[in-house]
Amino acid sequence: MKNFILQNENGIYFECGYSCDNAIYISLGSETFFITDGRYTVDAKENIKNNSEIIISNDLLKETRRVLKKSKIKKIHFDPNDFSVATFETLSLKLDIKFIQKPNFSKHKRIIKTEDEIQLIQKAMELGRDGFVKFAEYVAKDGFWKSEQYLAYMAQTFLSQNGNYDLSFSPIIAINENSAKPHAVPTSKIYQEDDLILFDGGIKFERYCSDRTVTFGNDYSKLDIYQREQRFSKYEQQKVYDIVLKAQQTAIKKAKLGMKASKLDSIGREIIEKAGYGKYFVHSTGHGVGLDIHEYPNISARSDFILEENMVFTIEPGIYLPNEFGVRIEDTVVLKKEGAIIL
Amino acid sequence: MKNFILQNENGIYFECGYSCDNAIYISLGSETFFITDGRYTVDAKENIKNNSEIIISNDLLKETRRVLKKSKIKKIHFDPNDFSVATFETLSLKLDIKFIQKPNFSKHKRIIKTEDEIQLIQKAMELGRDGFVKFAEYVAKDGFWKSEQYLAYMAQTFLSQNGNYDLSFSPIIAINENSAKPHAVPTSKIYQEDDLILFDGGIKFERYCSDRTVTFGNDYSKLDIYQREQRFSKYEQQKVYDIVLKAQQTAIKKAKLGMKASKLDSIGREIIEKAGYGKYFVHSTGHGVGLDIHEYPNISARSDFILEENMVFTIEPGIYLPNEFGVRIEDTVVLKKEGAIIL
């Protein structure tokens, strides 16, 4: 695919090593163009790693059309998810060029990570784990009688190291019945002793994301979150936790090159189903991680992906009992010849 | 405009008093539909304020097509900025309905605020100002030798009241030459005594945004940020600040009902031009504020809007001297018969 056009920030970064929130990137094979506005002139010149021609304009679409017209190309590829109807119409109006839809082509290009990319994600994971450790220490010492909102703020503080790192997403902090919502938003609910608390968060290191989830029990004396064992005060919480843990660890252990992603999804799912909680595992097993927090491959029952070396993805089964509680355990792994390695 | 379809979260919230990050709203006049997935069933039922039929599905577009087909309508309006090429094609494929483009129709509907909305924005502004005061106190006491990134983290802490409130946007903290970038991103640059520091931030109260900018000088003994006077150590900083302040205060004083927004833009701009800094005022005077941080009306030289009662917008002239420093002073105002009132 020689000729393509991109608007997505991470997609552009992947192509040329720089991006910003107002840019269009055009590839015409050996010739590439980075079009942005005057706010980013200096940064673009300093950071673009290939030989893209940098074009500064207040009207990016007009410049894009000018480049395309001048190029005399007959066709160009684009991702129909990457452009609004309005932008695409302005871009393509009366141009004698065929725009060919290639849904998610940038995510497909990014699915196998380089060793450099894997190292960045590993670094992001390490920094992220530091945040989890600090959060666990904080919860054990000062967390009681704080709200989910406040604990989420503290989670941000620890993950970002006081603003030094951007977050992959707003962390989820969910207590007891709120943890039964897979995408819970922190509320004013107060954390008390013996509560179950779910913490899903990650940071970015040089733009690459980390992603991790811990469901904390109540053994505050040894909240070693590198070790996945947790103790819960309620019998069913412990039972459900141990099932999810078995599902997660088994999936990690059995992931291998050449396996269908749908097969990997089924490994943990079958464990949860056999334990009688199948209908409470309401999402897929995982997703790719990279510049975006959600990339390819999808690890789901309907996924067509085959697992290859140097794919990076999450393994995060969960059980969600409405109005009671939820458990999710998540690691991000890289797939190697020897299997899945937790980053 | 009886029949329309919306995907934008704030646009949907405005229609029915509830929204989430995965929803489609259809209005067919007296009949309205809110389509979302199972995660939001309970919240949607509890919070939707009109009589919208709530439809839960894992395939929002399929349900949307079903509703549209069943309705037998001949045409429907949509905002071409609100739908990607991919989504729109899936939505409209082989439907015998004419989709009529109405760019930004939701923002046009929201341009005149109700008294309730004005009160929410006022509350957001009050809470936001508290954050500015706390930040000023912090800077005077402990801010020296901290990085922009750390100060931005502290700004978030004060604005959000430790995570209690969402922010309108990631606050800008920019020192000396970094403040010459209107959309500066916080860096590792260290704040020292006598530095100029620009702080642009806001919070959301019940989804409504606040927006405010202060450029701090070095008179730490009375950082009364409700009063706009500031003292700077460098002559040109003081000179530029006083010009921007005069431009901003004059624009606020002269804004009135029936005035063209472009005329309001010119009031501050002429003051800056006459002082010889015209080419360094590189953006428009302001923008509407509401559910979105950038709404209508635009207060710019090319704006066609006429100012009406209960419009809410910012007045934020600035002067940006590349590689030296920048000054911006911003308030959010509501326009009333008696003129612009700072919220």
Side-chain angles (χ1 to χ4, degrees):
Chain A
M1 210 178 73
K2 197 168 68 86
N3 299 342
F4 63 85
I5 182 165
L6 263 174
Q7 193 176 226
N8 176 273
E9 183 167 343
N10 283 332
I12 293 175
Y13 180 83
F14 182 77
E15 297 296 332
C16 69
Y18 175 70
S19 198
C20 60
D21 66 1
N22 191 32
I24 291 179
Y25 185 84
I26 305 170
S27 168
L28 305 175
S30 59
E31 269 192 311
T32 56
F33 302 85
F34 185 97
I35 305 170
T36 187
D37 68 64
R39 291 174 293 165
Y40 302 108
T41 312
V42 176
D43 288 349
K45 283 183 181 159
E46 282 177 2
N47 293 299
I48 287 177
K49 303 248 173 349
N50 63 8
N51 289 317
S52 293
E53 184 179 325
I54 297 164
I55 299 171
I56 304 299
S57 169
N58 283 322
D59 189 337
L60 271 54
L61 291 176
K62 192 175 155 191
E63 280 303 308
T64 304
R65 288 171 56 83
R66 191 186 61 72
V67 169
L68 292 177
K69 268 186 215 166
K70 202 178 149 199
S71 74
K72 305 220 188 311
I73 55 167
K74 293 285 166 235
K75 59 183 185 181
I76 193 160
H77 299 86
F78 78 108
D79 179 350
N81 301 293
D82 190 18
F83 291 86
S84 72
V85 171
T87 300
F88 183 71
E89 285 198 358
T90 304
L91 176 67
S92 60
L93 186 71
K94 291 184 188 169
L95 278 189
D96 191 19
I97 296 174
K98 191 174 177 195
F99 285 80
I100 301 167
Q101 296 197 3
K102 286 278 176 189
N104 302 307
F105 74 83
S106 174
K107 286 194 177 178
H108 282 288
K109 286 176 86 166
R110 285 146 52 191
I111 192 169
I112 308 287
K113 268 62 180 178
T114 65
E115 290 301 333
D116 285 350
E117 288 179 297
I118 292 166
Q119 278 182 26
L120 295 177
I121 298 169
Q122 179 147 37
K123 180 75 179 167
M125 286 298 290
E126 282 167 15
L127 291 164
R129 266 195 297 268
D130 291 347
F132 276 85
V133 170
K134 291 211 180 69
F135 182 80
E137 290 167 356
Y138 172 81
V139 161
K141 193 164 162 279
D142 293 312
F144 305 115
W145 304 103
K146 302 291 196 305
S147 69
E148 286 177 347
Q149 282 159 340
Y150 188 85
L151 292 173
Y153 161 75
M154 292 308 295
Q156 286 183 32
T157 298
F158 296 130
L159 285 172
S160 74
Q161 297 192 17
N162 299 326
N164 258 335
Y165 297 101
D166 288 336
L167 301 184
S168 305
F169 54 92
S170 287
I172 295 172
I173 295 288
I175 298 165
N176 294 351
E177 66 270 25
N178 288 350
S179 63
K181 298 178 188 173
H183 292 88
V185 173
T187 71
S188 57
K189 187 176 171 62
I190 296 295
Y191 178 60
Q192 290 171 268
E193 205 156 340
D194 286 342
D195 282 351
L196 174 152
I197 182 166
L198 184 150
F199 172 18
D200 184 351
I203 70 131
K204 293 185 189 184
F205 182 72
E206 294 183 10
R207 283 183 172 260
Y208 281 81
C209 295
S210 70
D211 196 0
R212 193 160 194 269
T213 305
V214 174
T215 304
F216 289 107
N218 72 344
D219 189 353
Y220 305 108
S221 66
K222 47 169 193 163
L223 273 185
D224 176 0
I225 58 100
Y226 285 92
Q227 177 188 314
R228 285 299 198 172
E229 265 105 59
Q230 294 282 336
R231 287 290 147 243
F232 295 85
S233 56
K234 298 207 175 61
Y235 172 77
E236 194 177 18
Q237 289 178 354
Q238 190 70 54
K239 181 181 164 196
V240 164
Y241 185 87
D242 293 341
I243 294 163
V244 174
L245 184 60
K246 187 177 168 200
Q248 202 245 3
Q249 308 257 299
T250 307
I252 292 175
K253 206 184 298 168
K254 295 205 171 168
K256 61 179 183 183
L257 300 187
M259 180 182 266
K260 286 182 180 171
S262 57
K263 169 70 185 166
L264 178 55
D265 179 82
S266 75
I267 291 172
R269 198 170 297 279
E270 279 171 12
I271 290 170
I272 290 172
E273 280 167 359
K274 276 181 191 152
Y277 290 94
K279 73 170 184 167
Y280 301 109
F281 179 11
V282 293
H283 54 67
S284 57
T285 291
H287 55 83
V289 173
L291 290 166
D292 284 317
I293 185 64
H294 291 126
E295 295 204 348
Y296 289 151
N298 309 325
I299 314 295
S300 74
R302 290 175 305 186
S303 175
D304 292 325
F305 289 103
I306 306 288
L307 300 180
E308 294 181 52
E309 188 164 8
N310 290 347
M311 286 182 172
V312 172
F313 50 86
T314 67
I315 297 186
E316 50 172 315
I319 293 177
Y320 307 91
L321 303 178
N323 303 315
E324 295 186 46
F325 65 91
V327 169
R328 179 167 65 254
I329 302 172
E330 174 184 31
D331 284 299
T332 299
V333 304
V334 60
L335 197 63
K336 293 285 185 184
K337 286 195 186 69
E338 58 269 38
I341 296 163
I342 296 176
L343 289 174
Chain B
M1 209 178 69
K2 195 168 70 86
N3 299 343
F4 62 85
I5 182 165
L6 262 174
Q7 193 176 225
N8 176 273
E9 183 166 342
N10 283 330
I12 293 175
Y13 181 83
F14 182 76
E15 297 295 332
C16 68
Y18 175 70
S19 197
C20 61
D21 64 2
N22 191 33
I24 292 180
Y25 185 85
I26 305 170
S27 167
L28 304 175
S30 58
E31 271 192 310
T32 57
F33 303 85
F34 186 97
I35 305 170
T36 187
D37 68 63
R39 292 175 293 166
Y40 301 108
T41 312
V42 176
D43 287 349
K45 283 183 180 160
E46 282 177 2
N47 292 299
I48 288 178
K49 303 248 174 351
N50 63 7
N51 289 318
S52 292
E53 183 179 328
I54 298 166
I55 300 171
I56 304 299
S57 169
N58 283 322
D59 190 337
L60 271 54
L61 290 177
K62 192 174 153 191
E63 279 303 309
T64 304
R65 287 170 56 83
R66 191 185 61 71
V67 169
L68 292 178
K69 267 186 215 164
K70 201 178 150 201
S71 74
K72 306 219 188 312
I73 55 166
K74 293 285 166 235
K75 59 183 186 180
I76 193 161
H77 298 86
F78 79 108
D79 179 351
N81 301 292
D82 190 18
F83 290 86
S84 72
V85 171
T87 301
F88 183 70
E89 285 197 358
T90 304
L91 176 66
S92 59
L93 187 72
K94 291 185 187 166
L95 278 188
D96 191 21
I97 295 173
K98 192 174 177 196
F99 284 80
I100 301 166
Q101 296 197 2
K102 286 278 175 188
N104 302 308
F105 73 83
S106 174
K107 285 194 178 178
H108 281 288
K109 286 176 85 165
R110 285 145 52 189
I111 193 169
I112 307 287
K113 268 62 180 177
T114 65
E115 290 301 332
D116 285 350
E117 289 179 296
I118 292 165
Q119 278 184 25
L120 295 177
I121 299 168
Q122 179 148 36
K123 180 76 179 167
M125 287 297 292
E126 282 167 15
L127 291 164
R129 265 195 298 267
D130 291 346
F132 275 84
V133 171
K134 291 211 180 70
F135 181 81
E137 290 167 356
Y138 172 81
V139 161
K141 191 164 161 280
D142 293 312
F144 305 115
W145 304 102
K146 302 291 197 305
S147 69
E148 287 177 346
Q149 281 159 340
Y150 189 85
L151 293 174
Y153 160 75
M154 292 308 295
Q156 287 184 31
T157 298
F158 295 130
L159 284 174
S160 74
Q161 298 193 14
N162 300 325
N164 257 334
Y165 297 101
D166 288 336
L167 301 184
S168 306
F169 53 92
S170 287
I172 295 171
I173 295 288
I175 298 165
N176 294 350
E177 66 270 25
N178 288 351
S179 64
K181 298 176 187 171
H183 292 89
V185 174
T187 71
S188 56
K189 186 176 172 62
I190 296 295
Y191 178 60
Q192 290 172 267
E193 204 156 341
D194 285 345
D195 282 351
L196 174 152
I197 183 166
L198 184 150
F199 172 18
D200 185 351
I203 70 132
K204 293 185 190 184
F205 181 73
E206 293 183 11
R207 284 182 173 259
Y208 281 81
C209 296
S210 70
D211 196 0
R212 193 157 194 270
T213 305
V214 173
T215 304
F216 289 107
N218 71 345
D219 189 353
Y220 306 108
S221 66
K222 47 168 194 164
L223 273 185
D224 175 358
I225 57 101
Y226 285 91
Q227 177 186 312
R228 285 297 199 173
E229 265 104 58
Q230 294 282 336
R231 287 290 147 243
F232 295 85
S233 56
K234 298 205 176 61
Y235 172 76
E236 196 178 17
Q237 288 179 356
Q238 191 69 54
K239 181 180 164 198
V240 164
Y241 185 88
D242 292 340
I243 294 163
V244 174
L245 184 60
K246 186 177 169 199
Q248 201 245 5
Q249 308 257 299
T250 307
I252 292 174
K253 205 183 300 169
K254 295 204 172 170
K256 60 179 183 183
L257 299 187
M259 180 183 267
K260 286 181 180 172
S262 57
K263 168 70 184 169
L264 178 55
D265 179 83
S266 75
I267 290 172
R269 198 169 297 279
E270 278 171 13
I271 290 170
I272 290 172
E273 279 167 359
K274 274 182 192 151
Y277 290 93
K279 73 170 182 166
Y280 301 109
F281 180 11
V282 293
H283 55 67
S284 58
T285 291
H287 55 83
V289 173
L291 290 165
D292 284 315
I293 185 65
H294 292 127
E295 295 204 348
Y296 289 152
N298 309 324
I299 314 295
S300 74
R302 289 175 306 186
S303 175
D304 292 324
F305 289 102
I306 305 289
L307 300 181
E308 294 181 52
E309 188 164 8
N310 290 348
M311 285 182 172
V312 172
F313 50 85
T314 68
I315 296 186
E316 49 173 316
I319 293 176
Y320 307 91
L321 302 177
N323 304 315
E324 294 186 47
F325 65 90
V327 169
R328 179 168 65 254
I329 302 171
E330 174 184 31
D331 283 299
T332 299
V333 304
V334 60
L335 197 62
K336 293 284 186 184
K337 287 196 185 71
E338 57 269 37
I341 296 164
I342 296 177
L343 290 174

